[in-house]
Amino acid sequence: KSVSSYILKPNFSESFFTGFVLKSETDVPRLRNTKKDEPVLCSELVEFVSEYRAFVCYGNICDVRPYKGDWHVHFDSNVLDNAVSSFKSIPAGCALDFGDS
């Protein structure tokens, strides 16, 4: 039996599973080591034309690099700025991944 494809990722940095694409119920056992109360992020699968990683230092984007797909496609800087400014508890340093579909 097939289900729509979804991306599942742990919500904690110290998790018992690595993010993966859930394609059918045969993929569900990959969650067996997940704690009962561990939050899991679930989103629909999106095919991106290009993907970028934004490096953030003290709430400011200090660099953005393409890491997958067509590097000729440019990201919308307003989207990145808005994402960082709306992040309420942003750590002193982090990286945020963005995709362009």
Side-chain angles (χ1 to χ4, degrees):
K1 184 177 178 182
S2 178
V3 296
S4 297
S5 294
Y6 293 95
I7 296 179
L8 297 179
K9 292 184 177 183
N11 197 26
F12 295 138
S13 59
E14 295 179 24
S15 179
F16 293 97
F17 78 98
T18 304
F20 65 93
V21 176
L22 176 73
K23 295 180 181 176
S24 74
E25 69 270 0
T26 60
D27 295 320
V28 173
R30 295 179 69 178
L31 294 167
R32 71 180 164 273
N33 293 327
T34 306
K35 293 180 181 177
K36 186 176 182 178
D37 60 347
E38 180 178 1
V40 175
L41 302 175
C42 180
S43 65
E44 292 185 26
L45 184 63
V46 177
E47 294 293 329
F48 291 117
V49 174
S50 57
E51 296 179 49
Y52 308 90
R53 179 159 291 150
F55 299 92
V56 183
C57 300
Y58 298 104
N60 297 304
I61 298 172
C62 56
D63 195 8
V64 179
R65 298 289 172 141
Y67 68 86
K68 188 175 181 183
D70 185 353
W71 62 272
H72 293 95
V73 177
H74 194 68
F75 58 87
D76 183 345
S77 59
N78 290 322
V79 171
L80 276 66
D81 289 336
N82 290 336
V84 171
S85 66
S86 65
F87 197 167
K88 302 296 180 205
S89 59
I90 194 163
C94 67
L96 302 174
D97 293 341
F98 295 86
D100 201 341
S101 55

